[in-house]
Amino acid sequence: MLSAGLGRRSCRSSRLWRGLCPAAAGGGVSPRCPRALSAAPASLRSGGGARSGGGSPAGAGNVKPLDGVKILDLTRVLAGPFATMNLGDLGAEVIKVERPGYGQTGPMIQRGGYDSIAAAVSGLMHITGHEDGEPVRSGVAMTDLATGLYTYGAIMAGLLQRYKTGKGLHIDCNLLSSQVACLTHVAANYLNCKTEAKRWGTAHGSIVPYQAFKTKDGYIVVGAGNDQQFVTVCKILNLPEVSKDSRYKTNTLRVQNRKELIEILSTRFSGKTTMKWLQLFEGSGVPYGRINNMQQVFSDPQVLHNGLVMEMNHPTAGRIAVPGPAVRYSEFSMSQPKPPPLIGQHTVEILKGILGYKDAAIEELLSTGAVAQHEVR
């Protein structure tokens, strides 16, 4: 059957299931899908605007860099759809065919690629969690998302390569490679010094203090990236004697004497509310921030200022909101977000408008159950 593709508001896509593409491996919408389902092509949809794909009218003031670019998306679950969601935000028209995959070559190509498995194999879980606790999965599928972002950038590079050489290229992005590449300094420490990584909870392995501290009513993260910032932290906490202690004069010494120092700081942080500490650290030049829950995140003035809440009308769910795009551009905007379409909502439109099927052929496909059309009331 045909259904709407995974993606965000402005992505113009449709997903073909293996009823029409024998090479695809099918599957339904994953509960780990990106923030919303993408809209079908605006040119095939009543009321569609120049949100993405197909080019903008002459003289339009909101021309996007990928207007007119068509993308065939053969990915599923999250990483690939997250990449094409971002490409759709930039104007691409995405046609989606689902199939599973673990890289294109190598001994593990037959394995299914899932975030938690890749996070385990890549070592991410080994370095995530409390210092003396068990390995922990991150709260969102960071390996999937990192792979999506790598893919997004690689596709952009591929488009530029085609522009320069006139030739396309094959891009291989996979979960394992993406996450291993993201190990950065942890990987470098092992590869060069054979230093095995460990879990630090909210703390940092080589900077002290740089972690979450429990307050009277919540948590605050404070980081002293240099010795002067550490002196400032001690001043705010009214612990001038600690900044003068020979055991804590340099970061190297603070790392060596981490346990004793953190106990002193933790005791002081627990004596005031989070809001009071936020007020005391304001303007100090020291990196700090409270650990927010979702209600606090989406009421944060900076989050709202950055346009990270986008609302739209959905055909069956009514008014909905999704996180907005992370990047803003000077010459075009992500305004007029489109709602996530229902599965199969644009089946006939896609078959007729993009694939060129005749009415009789479409009727046969519908009657045999090879495809389905979701009727919107």
Side-chain angles (χ1 to χ4, degrees):
M1 64 183 293
L2 287 172
S3 68
L6 294 173
R8 177 171 46 224
R9 313 153 302 277
S10 62
C11 181
R12 298 171 41 178
S13 68
S14 59
R15 182 170 63 228
L16 290 85
W17 285 18
R18 63 178 172 184
L20 288 179
C21 183
V29 176
S30 164
R32 298 192 299 128
C33 64
R35 297 173 275 263
L37 298 178
S38 67
S43 60
L44 302 178
R45 208 175 50 241
S46 60
R51 283 290 300 140
S52 59
S56 296
N62 197 34
V63 178
K64 297 184 176 64
L66 298 187
D67 279 347
V69 173
K70 284 186 171 66
I71 294 175
L72 178 61
D73 181 358
L74 303 177
T75 66
R76 63 175 298 201
V77 183
L78 183 54
F82 186 67
T84 52
M85 175 185 74
N86 284 282
L87 293 166
D89 281 342
L90 298 183
E93 179 177 343
V94 181
I95 300 174
K96 183 159 177 39
V97 182
E98 286 204 339
R99 58 182 261 185
Y102 208 98
Q104 304 300 315
T105 60
M108 298 183 182
I109 61 172
Q110 299 303 319
R111 295 191 186 182
Y114 289 90
D115 176 86
S116 292
I117 308 303
V121 175
S122 67
L124 177 62
M125 282 191 183
H126 176 70
I127 60 174
T128 305
H130 290 294
E131 183 175 358
D132 299 319
E134 298 179 348
V136 172
R137 176 185 178 275
S138 59
V140 295
M142 289 308 303
T143 302
D144 272 343
L145 299 174
T147 305
L149 291 174
Y150 269 116
T151 305
Y152 167 60
I155 291 173
M156 296 295 285
L159 289 171
L160 288 173
Q161 179 81 349
R162 185 186 68 177
Y163 174 78
K164 290 183 175 182
T165 67
K167 297 180 179 180
L169 51 80
H170 182 269
I171 295 169
D172 182 0
C173 292
N174 63 81
L175 301 181
L176 182 61
S177 296
S178 297
Q179 188 55 67
V180 171
C182 286
L183 293 178
T184 59
H185 71 283
V186 174
N189 286 341
Y190 174 76
L191 293 173
N192 294 286
C193 305
K194 301 306 177 187
T195 302
E196 184 54 76
K198 60 176 292 186
R199 292 181 285 280
W200 287 104
T202 65
H204 194 286
S206 57
I207 302 176
V208 176
Y210 189 172
Q211 67 179 74
F213 293 94
K214 184 172 176 53
T215 67
K216 185 177 287 187
D217 62 350
Y219 291 89
I220 185 173
V221 175
V222 174
N226 56 53
D227 295 338
Q228 183 55 51
Q229 288 183 347
F230 176 67
V231 172
T232 302
V233 169
C234 291
K235 182 178 180 181
I236 293 173
L237 270 60
N238 195 23
L239 293 171
E241 69 282 1
V242 174
S243 65
K244 299 174 183 177
D245 193 312
S246 60
R247 295 173 295 173
Y248 313 130
K249 279 289 187 179
T250 67
N251 183 67
T252 299
L253 292 170
R254 292 193 290 275
V255 171
Q256 293 173 359
N257 298 286
R258 176 194 301 265
K259 185 176 181 180
E260 299 91 332
L261 176 58
I262 296 304
E263 287 180 355
I264 295 171
L265 301 182
S266 296
T267 298
R268 186 53 56 94
F269 273 110
S270 66
K272 298 183 187 298
T273 65
T274 301
M275 184 56 68
K276 183 61 178 178
W277 286 123
L278 293 176
Q279 294 171 350
L280 291 171
F281 275 95
E282 178 68 28
S284 66
V286 174
Y288 71 96
R290 122 181 118 183
I291 295 182
N292 286 331
N293 59 28
M294 291 301 102
Q295 185 278 326
Q296 292 166 331
V297 169
F298 290 106
S299 61
D300 185 278
Q302 191 65 48
V303 170
L304 296 175
H305 172 78
N306 289 353
L308 292 172
V309 178
M310 299 190 78
E311 295 185 338
M312 63 198 72
N313 291 315
H314 187 272
T316 59
R319 194 71 174 168
I320 64 171
V322 298
V327 181
R328 294 184 291 179
Y329 302 88
S330 61
E331 298 300 318
F332 63 93
S333 67
M334 303 297 179
S335 58
Q336 301 176 351
K338 297 294 187 292
L342 304 171
I343 293 177
Q345 180 176 339
H346 305 106
T347 296
V348 172
E349 293 174 304
I350 297 298
L351 287 172
K352 182 180 293 187
I354 292 182
L355 300 180
Y357 278 64
K358 302 297 183 182
D359 289 342
I362 294 174
E363 286 299 327
E364 183 178 355
L365 290 171
L366 290 169
S367 64
T368 60
V371 300
Q373 171 70 38
H374 190 115
E375 299 296 336
V376 180
R377 297 177 180 176

